[in-house]
Amino acid sequence: MIHRGSCGLSGEEIYRAVPVSCREISFQFANVGFDVIHRYSRQSFQPYSDTPKTYCFDDLGLESPVQCWGNTCNVMAEILLSRYDLYVSQHRMVTHVTTNLNSGELEEAYGPRVRSRMREMFNLVAFEEGSRDKRG
């Protein structure tokens, strides 16, 4: 599921138990490297089982491409592509996302391949401009 809306409307309150900040993941990548991508994709299973972990990536599009050991990477694009592969495989890895970006902005940030995969992975819940802030 992808929740889209302006600030205060993108739905992160719904997923308080499982949100992971996209910015924080990018910062982790800058310090640790490519293991971070695997942590949220190929190694993202419950202990001692083949049950995938469900994450809600909060504020998709707010992060910037980062470097680790001279390698520039769009970390969230790589995580989403890897989770898509696990989604269509036997694992059915479920992913939730919140964002303030529209589909055109998402495609600009992540490219047509990621945007295409997102159409298959997510159901869109969009809040219209002018909706009341849901943060309370």
Side-chain angles (χ1 to χ4, degrees):
M1 181 169 301
I2 184 168
H3 281 110
R4 186 194 66 76
S6 57
C7 291
L9 298 174
S10 61
E12 59 268 11
E13 287 73 29
I14 296 169
Y15 299 104
R16 285 264 185 233
V18 293
V20 180
S21 165
C22 293
R23 288 181 63 234
E24 181 59 34
I25 292 171
S26 291
F27 297 150
Q28 290 173 14
F29 176 84
N31 289 322
V32 178
F34 287 92
D35 286 343
V36 170
I37 294 170
H38 297 297
R39 181 182 308 153
Y40 293 102
S41 58
R42 303 239 176 257
Q43 297 171 355
S44 184
F45 291 89
Q46 300 297 338
Y48 311 108
S49 79
D50 63 351
T51 304
K53 291 182 182 177
T54 300
Y55 285 107
C56 176
F57 297 112
D58 191 26
D59 278 333
L60 183 69
L62 191 59
E63 77 286 351
S64 300
V66 292
Q67 285 194 352
C68 180
W69 300 304
N71 298 311
T72 301
C73 183
N74 189 327
V75 178
M76 289 310 302
E78 294 300 327
I79 289 172
L80 290 172
L81 287 170
S82 294
R83 289 184 71 88
Y84 171 81
D85 291 342
L86 293 164
Y87 171 76
V88 298
S89 72
Q90 71 274 15
H91 298 295
R92 300 302 291 170
M93 185 170 278
V94 175
T95 304
H96 301 285
V97 169
T98 68
T99 186
N100 295 328
L101 303 181
N102 63 38
S103 59
E105 292 167 326
L106 286 168
E107 186 166 335
E108 185 177 319
Y110 300 106
R113 170 170 276 164
V114 173
R115 176 65 183 114
S116 173
R117 302 307 190 265
M118 291 174 76
R119 279 194 289 271
E120 188 173 341
M121 288 172 65
F122 301 129
N123 294 314
L124 174 64
V125 176
F127 294 98
E128 298 300 320
E129 289 293 325
S131 295
R132 194 170 64 81
D133 191 323
K134 306 296 185 221
R135 292 178 286 194

